[in-house]
């Protein structure tokens, strides 16, 4: 029989590692998970934001945030522990 794990336990196991966060809408963020709370507000280091290119809908714009960021748990749709973000071939341009 499989061992049950609660959602917050899974997030807790991801602290210190890379996590891919899909936000409501078309925004995605990848970074190192530093902490979270009961509302799943997340603190990320070395965050990179990915947004849909308004000119080419099948392309993605990569923006390196170069800061510690706080993501509001109400805006988070999916968490992917260990995720690397969108595939590199989908990138239209990159900003630092």
């Amino acid at each position: 029989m499989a061992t049950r794990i609660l959602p917050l336990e899974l997030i807790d196991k991801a602290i210190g590692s890379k996590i891919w966060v899909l936000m409501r809408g078309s925004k995605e963020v990848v970074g190192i998970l530093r902490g979270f709370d009961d509302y799943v507000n997340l603190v990320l280091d070395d965050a990179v934001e990915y947004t849909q290119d308004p000119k080419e809908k099948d392309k993605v714009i990569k923006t390196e945030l170069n800061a510690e960021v706080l993501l509001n748990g109400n805006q988070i749709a999916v968490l992917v522990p260990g995720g690397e973000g969108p595939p590199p071939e989908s990138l239209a341009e990159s900003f630092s």
Side-chain angles (χ1 to χ4, degrees):
M1 183 166 189
T3 305
R4 287 181 41 172
I5 185 167
L6 298 173
L8 292 180
E9 290 176 6
L10 180 63
I11 299 169
D12 189 50
K13 287 183 177 190
I15 288 180
S17 62
K18 192 171 273 196
I19 191 165
W20 179 14
V21 183
L22 283 73
M23 308 294 288
R24 289 184 180 184
S26 61
K27 192 174 291 190
E28 301 176 19
V29 180
V30 175
I32 306 297
L33 180 62
R34 293 297 176 212
F36 68 97
D37 63 12
D38 289 342
Y39 301 102
V40 193
N41 296 314
L42 304 179
V43 177
L44 301 179
D45 269 342
D46 303 326
V48 178
E49 178 183 70
Y50 297 91
T51 54
Q52 188 178 42
D53 187 336
K55 298 173 192 158
E56 296 181 63
K57 299 293 184 194
D58 61 333
K59 296 292 182 185
V60 175
I61 298 172
K62 175 182 175 182
T63 307
E64 294 190 30
L65 302 176
N66 297 321
E68 188 173 68
V69 296
L70 172 66
L71 300 179
N72 184 321
N74 286 331
Q75 299 302 314
I76 295 172
V78 177
L79 297 172
V80 184
E84 296 291 327
E89 61 270 8
S90 69
L91 296 179
E93 51 190 302
S94 184
F95 299 100
S96 291

